[in-house]
Amino acid sequence: MRRFLRPGHDPVRERLKRDLFQFNKTVEHGFPHQPSALGYSPFLRLMAIGTRSGAIKLYGAPGVEFMGLHEENNTVMQIHFIPDQCQLVTLLDDNSLHLWSLKQHSGASELREEHRFTLKGPPGSPPSATQITAVLPHSSRELLYLGTESGNIFVVELPSFRVLEDRTITSEAVLQRVPEDYCNRQLCELVEVLREHPKNPDQILIGYSRGLIVLWDLQNNKVTHHFLGSQQLENLYWQRDGSKFISCHYDGSYTQWPVSSDNRQPEPLENLVPYGPFPCKAISKIYWQTTKNGLPYIIFQGGMPRASYGDRHSISVVHGSQQTAFDFTSRVIDFFIIFSSEPTAEFDDPSAMVVLAEEELVVIDLKTAGWPAVHPPYLASLHCSAITCSHHVSNIPLKLWERIISAGSKQNIHYSNMPWPIDGGSNIAPDPPQRDLLLTGHEDGTVRFWDASGVCLHLLYKLSTVRVFLTDADPNDNMNTLGEDEWPPLRKVGTFDPYSDDPRLGIQKIYLCKYSGYLAVAGTAGQVLVMELNDEDAEHVVDHAEADLLQDQEGYRWKGHEKLKTREGPVRFEAGFQPFVLVQCQPPAVVTSLALHSEWKLVAFGTSHGFGLFDHQQKRLVFVKCTLHPSDQLALEGPLSRVKSLKKSLRQSFRRIRRSRVSSRKRRGGSGNASEVQEANAKFDQDALQEMELAPVQRKIEARSAEDSFTGFVRTLYFADTFLRDSSRHCPSLWAGTNGGTVYAFCLRVPPAERRVDEPVRAEQAKEIQLMHRAPVVGILVLDGRSTPLPEPLEVAHDLSKSPDMQGSHQLLVVSEEQFKASITQEVFTLPKVSSKLKLKLTALEGCRVRKVMVANFGSCKTDDYSENDLAVLTNLGDIQIISLPFLKLQIRYPCIRKEDVSGIASCVFTKYGQGFYLISPSEFERFSLSTKWLVEPRCVVDMPEVTSNNHVHNKSDVENAVRKS
């Protein structure tokens, strides 16, 4: 009778679950999606980035990160730090201002929104009267000057955002000092920029879009100087001593203006079009930086000739006879210069230029000859080429870690050795307990190795598979080479390059063995490369082998892309992971699953046509197995083919609806009277109509038939040393699960080490399991006699795991998408006799399917003596479920990803210790933790630096991104 009793509440287990499991989204890795504004505080040495979605992120020294989110989710247009304060102001595109503060709580600093404010005009005034275009935080730290489209400048008190109406600077007051013959030109139409005098805080420079510039006396409320430009104004910049300022204009020119002590009408000292005489693009921002040697740095954005270089995104640096136009592959949002902020310093002496482009952050070292780029410790451009897959490896051995870093350092010889210049705040988070790697595969055929141990996702090493193949691009081409006489002197910088030479190069699967250093990568065109780590450059021939997965079956014709052509003869490879063998699948379809066993020197691979096993020590194909069903015609078209018919997909959808309607009527028609049947049919028809209106991820799911497409698609591969033939002898085995719910098991005969080179590996199919409802198999796992997952290859040999228990019976865990009754089924079979022992149906919401599954180790936060292995399961609804082993009991469920975020769910990867990553945008990973013990999150503090006297000289933000309204 106990099996019919509802299990009672176990308080001991509930307490243990609280000690083991806790869901947290901890940190966002990568580059902010769609950045829109940039700010910098020389006082705090912190940088701020705003995005179109209303996020604001602050960065300082590595590990110092803060994030805030505006409730309105509007675009952040401007960011300004309050001088000498741990505060900043943001301007959104809805014309609202927001005051943020860094405050300490529980020993760490937090970014909080303090106040919000919207500037309102008198009743009946047009919106342009109060539309903010320029913001100036005054050095008094108490006032905010707001320039508007109407030409008026409003003064707001901080932190209350109270408007001081009696101090408003109207356009009429400004025009009183302008000659009458200029008054009719509507010079005060729009305030383009506001700048405080670097030596006199009672004076501000006001620039209007039509070219008028005035110096306004705040004490006497009058114009002391006016400057009449002939071109539309873009920006202004004061020189350090306040004797001159420089203006830049829409026609690609800049002008230097003197500021005399008397009231004489000033004439421009210099007017220059740096890339003239032909029409040029606007110079939107400019710096004039003084140096000890007398030659200034002139740095400006834009100004390129329109006809030939109108599509370039450039920033030019001029220092004496040295001039370079840095060419970025994405639009420049803003930039700032890091220079001496000491008020007693006589010169600027710029050290670095920080450029926020639309797709990456680039820092240029201005102290080193040649102005090289600085390797960033964070804000990595993950999507420099589109991410196609991810692979996480925990607890990397120190030796392998050092070898990867060594290989990466040889690739970074062109970067500057300058310390990271944005170094505000202090990282007080504990050191990472272990070394973790996150590997990302990319569309251009590269694999990037990221240090995922802590808060900063830092690039260690980049591997390219392009050299193995013949492509249109020469890998030895240098995009940065310039001719001696080339003008403008363009130089490409940054790593963002969204264009792939050939989409077939894309990496689809990665598997790294951290103990042996073997790496297997597989791609879009059926290519499987096996590599080993070499500390030196080498030149050798890459051996080739072909795996015909169709096994010459008649009636099949591949309609997709061709395989990649390989290079003949020796190929030179850089230090790092170097391929030594290439296995080419035929047909050259996308590799859908990959497994590597470095102890047995075997690699298994699967596609939509079947799977195969390759001996990479003897460089010999062991066997191939075709899983293609006669109806799998779509599997022969390939991902790059456009043969799929929309009509066919719609036709199949309507057939499924009709089939389900007929079968339901038959089930309902077996009992009850005619009226009940009629009512049930009417209700079912209504449900069917509702089903057609549901989104694809929400639709109701039925059991698949063998005739459905892609049943031979190989979803998972798994190596195990277990009992397959009888209960007395265990042997190496390979398991494969398909989209049609079939599990294949092959018994392997691997010769002992002394005869491994001479004798071949042999394989024989031992079992074939067909799941009842033909649900796709997404995971296979073998548990030993202690119900513990089998260790990784070589893990026992390195004394990092106990030897598996080979005395008791083993258990086979099959995780599948169960489509009957819209549930997910996980089954445990006993080995060697495959009989179902346990089955768990996570009958949750309609349309629920398993997308990712992995065994994770969860340790108690209360004691180091207890840990357990559980299954972490991600469904297509975006929730994560933790299931106990071996009894398959649901422990807890967390909502993690929005169910509409299909790409985020597809990109999710779990770690061995209960963490995970998924893409929240093409350029950002969200990191989350399911464990109370393993938690990686920013913990940092920003102390208030000591404010020196006369600090108003350089306490303004260097970045002001003025809003232009055309």
Side-chain angles (χ1 to χ4, degrees):
M1 291 295 294
R2 293 180 60 186
R3 60 180 297 189
F4 298 105
L5 296 177
R6 178 175 296 179
H9 181 76
D10 186 354
V12 176
R13 180 60 188 173
E14 292 300 318
R15 283 197 301 269
L16 184 57
K17 284 162 62 173
R18 288 195 294 270
D19 296 341
L20 293 173
F21 311 123
Q22 183 180 3
F23 178 74
N24 290 285
K25 291 186 178 180
T26 56
V27 66
E28 294 177 0
H29 295 301
F31 185 76
H33 184 51
Q34 295 181 330
S36 56
L38 178 67
Y40 177 67
S41 170
F43 178 68
L44 299 174
R45 299 185 69 83
L46 293 178
M47 172 181 65
I49 295 177
T51 69
R52 293 187 197 174
S53 60
I56 178 171
K57 301 184 179 185
L58 271 62
Y59 300 92
V64 177
E65 296 184 14
F66 303 94
M67 180 178 173
L69 184 65
H70 296 87
E71 291 183 4
E72 295 81 359
N73 289 341
N74 289 78
T75 299
V76 180
M77 302 300 293
Q78 298 186 41
I79 302 174
H80 301 272
F81 282 87
I82 307 300
D84 302 342
Q85 296 291 310
C86 291
Q87 291 181 314
L88 65 153
V89 171
T90 57
L91 172 66
L92 305 188
D93 63 351
D94 63 354
N95 207 42
S96 63
L97 288 166
H98 302 255
L99 179 65
W100 298 81
S101 297
L102 284 170
K103 294 191 174 182
Q104 292 198 16
H105 176 71
S106 301
S109 298
E110 294 179 352
L111 182 64
R112 298 178 183 175
E113 184 177 1
E114 300 288 338
H115 300 285
R116 65 187 63 189
F117 165 75
T118 301
L119 184 63
K120 296 180 180 179
S125 60
S128 62
T130 55
Q131 184 66 45
I132 301 173
T133 56
V135 179
L136 172 63
H138 193 260
S139 61
S140 65
R141 307 186 290 277
E142 298 174 351
L143 299 175
L144 208 60
Y145 290 86
L146 308 175
T148 62
E149 281 189 5
S150 63
N152 297 329
I153 300 169
F154 296 88
V155 185
V156 175
E157 194 176 48
L158 289 176
S160 63
F161 280 127
R162 183 171 65 92
V163 179
L164 305 178
E165 297 183 359
D166 58 328
R167 303 184 66 171
T168 300
I169 305 172
T170 64
S171 56
E172 291 79 9
V174 172
L175 288 174
Q176 289 179 1
R177 285 296 309 271
V178 178
E180 293 183 1
D181 55 335
Y182 287 93
C183 290
N184 295 328
R185 295 172 53 188
Q186 295 181 337
L187 294 178
C188 298
E189 186 179 59
L190 182 148
V191 178
E192 192 72 49
V193 61
L194 298 170
R195 299 288 185 191
E196 182 179 341
H197 195 291
K199 295 293 185 182
N200 184 359
D202 292 330
Q203 292 182 337
I204 62 172
L205 202 61
I206 306 172
Y208 296 92
S209 61
R210 294 297 180 90
L212 173 64
I213 307 167
V214 298
L215 187 62
W216 182 265
D217 188 338
L218 297 174
Q219 290 292 329
N220 301 311
N221 290 328
K222 67 175 185 179
V223 174
T224 61
H225 297 76
H226 68 272
F227 311 85
L228 297 171
S230 59
Q231 294 292 332
Q232 180 175 316
L233 180 68
E234 292 289 325
N235 220 320
L236 299 170
Y237 186 78
W238 278 107
Q239 292 190 24
R240 190 179 186 94
D241 58 3
S243 63
K244 295 183 285 289
F245 70 88
I246 193 167
S247 62
C248 54
H249 302 273
Y250 182 75
D251 65 342
S253 66
Y254 64 82
T255 305
Q256 193 175 9
W257 303 87
V259 179
S260 58
S261 57
D262 53 28
N263 293 329
R264 289 180 301 171
Q265 172 63 32
E267 294 293 332
L269 296 175
E270 181 185 29
N271 190 318
L272 184 65
V273 183
Y275 294 114
F278 300 106
C280 295
K281 294 179 67 178
I283 295 179
S284 57
K285 190 170 185 177
I286 193 165
Y287 280 84
W288 184 290
Q289 301 276 280
T290 57
T291 60
K292 294 177 183 178
N293 62 11
L295 294 174
Y297 277 85
I298 305 170
I299 305 169
F300 55 89
Q301 175 184 348
M304 285 282 137
R306 287 186 179 276
S308 303
Y309 301 94
D311 59 341
R312 300 298 181 99
H313 314 289
S314 67
I315 295 178
S316 298
V317 180
V318 182
H319 180 58
S321 60
Q322 189 178 1
Q323 181 170 347
T324 299
F326 293 99
D327 187 14
F328 300 86
T329 55
S330 59
R331 182 173 63 92
V332 174
I333 304 297
D334 203 350
F335 76 100
F336 62 84
I337 306 299
I338 297 178
F339 55 90
S340 175
S341 59
E342 290 294 328
T344 57
E346 186 178 354
F347 303 100
D348 294 313
D349 285 328
S351 59
M353 177 175 69
V354 181
V355 183
L356 176 66
E358 199 166 37
E359 305 292 352
E360 62 185 328
L361 183 82
V362 179
V363 178
I364 303 296
D365 179 2
L366 298 177
K367 288 288 189 182
T368 305
W371 300 331
V374 182
H375 197 57
Y378 48 71
L379 287 174
S381 181
L382 299 175
H383 65 314
C384 45
S385 175
I387 295 177
T388 50
C389 66
S390 304
H391 176 65
H392 187 274
V393 187
S394 300
N395 205 7
I396 302 293
L398 178 60
K399 185 176 181 181
L400 176 64
W401 186 265
E402 291 175 343
R403 293 178 70 188
I404 292 174
I405 291 177
S406 175
S409 63
K410 295 176 182 178
Q411 296 177 335
N412 297 332
I413 58 174
H414 300 297
Y415 282 100
S416 167
N417 293 322
M418 171 189 230
W420 185 244
I422 305 167
D423 55 2
S426 302
N427 179 17
I428 59 174
D431 292 334
Q434 60 185 29
R435 295 168 294 273
D436 289 353
L437 275 178
L438 179 65
L439 283 67
T440 54
H442 297 264
E443 191 181 40
D444 62 354
T446 58
V447 178
R448 285 170 168 81
F449 291 65
W450 306 92
D451 178 1
S453 310
V455 172
C456 297
L457 194 68
H458 181 60
L459 181 64
L460 299 179
Y461 165 68
K462 185 181 81 170
L463 162 70
S464 177
T465 62
V466 177
R467 288 183 178 271
V468 180
F469 306 103
L470 290 170
T471 60
D472 295 335
D474 186 351
N476 297 316
D477 283 348
N478 188 355
M479 299 297 293
N480 294 330
T481 54
L482 288 175
E484 294 182 1
D485 301 327
E486 185 171 341
W487 188 261
L490 290 165
R491 189 177 104 197
K492 280 195 175 293
V493 288
T495 59
F496 179 72
D497 183 11
Y499 306 107
S500 173
D501 297 328
D502 194 325
R504 295 175 297 174
L505 291 168
I507 305 298
Q508 297 297 328
K509 295 293 176 182
I510 307 171
Y511 197 103
L512 171 66
C513 175
K514 61 185 178 183
Y515 304 111
S516 64
Y518 282 115
L519 172 69
V521 297
T524 303
Q527 69 271 29
V528 180
L529 286 165
V530 186
M531 313 183 187
E532 58 184 345
L533 191 55
N534 192 342
D535 298 327
E536 302 294 335
D537 294 0
E539 186 174 359
H540 59 259
V541 176
V542 178
D543 292 299
H544 299 164
E546 283 208 354
D548 182 12
L549 297 176
L550 293 183
Q551 298 175 310
D552 300 324
Q553 294 193 33
E554 297 181 357
Y556 294 104
R557 185 172 62 87
W558 172 247
K559 304 174 186 176
H561 49 265
E562 296 180 354
K563 68 176 184 179
L564 286 161
K565 295 181 180 178
T566 56
R567 294 181 182 272
E568 300 295 335
V571 181
R572 184 160 188 82
F573 298 101
E574 298 175 343
F577 286 94
Q578 300 172 352
F580 61 89
V581 66
L582 164 67
V583 183
Q584 178 62 58
C585 298
Q586 289 289 8
V590 174
V591 177
T592 58
S593 54
L594 184 70
L596 176 71
H597 201 293
S598 51
E599 188 173 0
W600 300 338
K601 303 293 193 302
L602 299 175
V603 59
F605 48 88
T607 71
S608 55
H609 308 118
F611 60 96
L613 182 66
F614 186 80
D615 180 352
H616 64 77
Q617 181 171 10
Q618 295 187 6
K619 299 173 184 176
R620 169 183 169 272
L621 189 66
V622 179
F623 78 90
V624 291
K625 171 70 175 178
C626 181
T627 58
L628 201 63
H629 191 272
S631 65
D632 285 350
Q633 291 302 316
L634 288 179
L636 294 170
E637 295 181 357
L640 304 180
S641 171
R642 302 300 177 209
V643 185
K644 289 185 179 180
S645 169
L646 178 61
K647 292 181 181 178
K648 184 174 182 180
S649 300
L650 290 173
R651 196 160 53 239
Q652 288 177 343
S653 298
F654 281 113
R655 282 176 180 168
R656 287 195 185 100
I657 292 172
R658 284 198 297 269
R659 278 205 305 268
S660 62
R661 182 185 299 143
V662 170
S663 61
S664 178
R665 284 173 178 167
K666 288 180 179 178
R667 287 194 299 269
R668 286 166 169 79
S671 62
N673 55 35
S675 61
E676 290 176 344
V677 174
Q678 186 176 1
E679 182 181 350
N681 288 342
K683 185 179 184 304
F684 185 82
D685 289 341
Q686 184 179 359
D687 292 342
L689 289 174
Q690 290 176 353
E691 178 184 0
M692 294 170 62
E693 297 170 1
L694 292 173
V697 295
Q698 297 171 300
R699 67 175 181 232
K700 299 175 182 177
I701 306 169
E702 306 168 9
R704 292 188 178 185
S705 67
E707 286 73 30
D708 281 352
S709 298
F710 288 105
T711 57
F713 186 111
V714 179
R715 295 283 292 267
T716 182
L717 291 164
Y718 177 71
F719 285 108
D721 187 358
T722 186
F723 301 95
L724 194 55
R725 294 193 178 278
D726 55 59
S727 58
S728 60
R729 290 181 300 173
H730 57 88
C731 66
S733 63
L734 172 65
W735 300 77
T738 72
N739 219 40
T742 306
V743 177
Y744 299 95
F746 279 77
C747 182
L748 307 179
R749 182 188 174 278
V750 181
E754 61 273 11
R755 300 196 302 272
R756 181 65 178 83
V757 178
D758 303 320
E759 295 185 11
V761 176
R762 302 190 183 278
E764 181 181 356
Q765 183 170 341
K767 298 193 184 298
E768 180 175 336
I769 309 168
Q770 179 63 59
L771 299 185
M772 184 183 299
H773 304 297
R774 303 184 181 274
V777 178
V778 296
I780 298 174
L781 181 70
V782 172
L783 308 177
D784 68 4
R786 294 188 295 263
S787 299
T788 302
L790 296 182
E792 297 178 22
L794 297 175
E795 191 173 12
V796 175
H798 286 75
D799 296 327
L800 296 173
S801 175
K802 294 181 180 178
S803 298
D805 184 355
M806 293 298 185
Q807 303 303 319
S809 62
H810 284 193
Q811 301 172 71
L812 171 68
L813 172 65
V814 177
V815 182
S816 67
E817 294 179 13
E818 173 56 63
Q819 298 189 354
F820 182 70
K821 296 182 181 177
S823 62
I824 301 164
T825 299
Q826 303 184 22
E827 295 189 64
V828 173
F829 301 90
T830 56
L831 292 174
K833 181 181 179 182
V834 183
S835 58
S836 182
K837 178 181 177 183
L838 287 172
K839 180 183 291 188
L840 172 66
K841 291 188 176 182
L842 304 179
T843 43
L845 303 175
E846 292 188 0
C848 189
R849 305 177 184 175
V850 168
R851 283 291 178 255
K852 305 281 181 176
V853 61
M854 184 175 178
V855 175
N857 182 267
F858 293 92
S860 172
C861 62
K862 297 291 181 64
T863 175
D864 294 333
D865 298 333
Y866 182 80
S867 67
E868 66 180 43
N869 292 308
D870 297 287
L871 277 181
V873 177
L874 173 70
T875 73
N876 67 320
L877 300 180
D879 61 346
I880 293 177
Q881 304 174 16
I882 299 176
I883 299 161
S884 67
L885 288 175
F887 301 110
L888 300 184
K889 292 185 180 297
L890 177 62
Q891 300 299 297
I892 201 161
R893 178 188 289 114
Y894 298 113
C896 180
I897 312 173
R898 293 182 301 107
K899 61 183 178 182
E900 297 83 9
D901 187 4
V902 179
S903 60
I905 293 173
S907 65
C908 183
V909 56
F910 289 113
T911 77
K912 190 177 179 180
Y913 295 99
Q915 298 186 69
F917 302 81
Y918 69 93
L919 288 172
I920 54 175
S921 73
S923 59
E924 290 173 292
F925 274 113
E926 176 82 73
R927 187 178 192 138
F928 63 87
S929 175
L930 306 170
S931 171
T932 57
K933 187 174 182 179
W934 299 90
L935 195 65
V936 176
E937 60 181 350
R939 185 169 173 80
C940 41
V941 62
V942 176
D943 294 318
M944 186 78 169
E946 183 179 349
V947 181
T948 59
S949 61
N950 195 29
N951 201 37
H952 68 265
V953 175
H954 287 289
N955 56 15
K956 299 188 301 298
S957 168
D958 288 320
V959 178
E960 293 182 10
N961 188 9
V963 182
R964 286 187 40 80
K965 300 290 182 181
S966 57

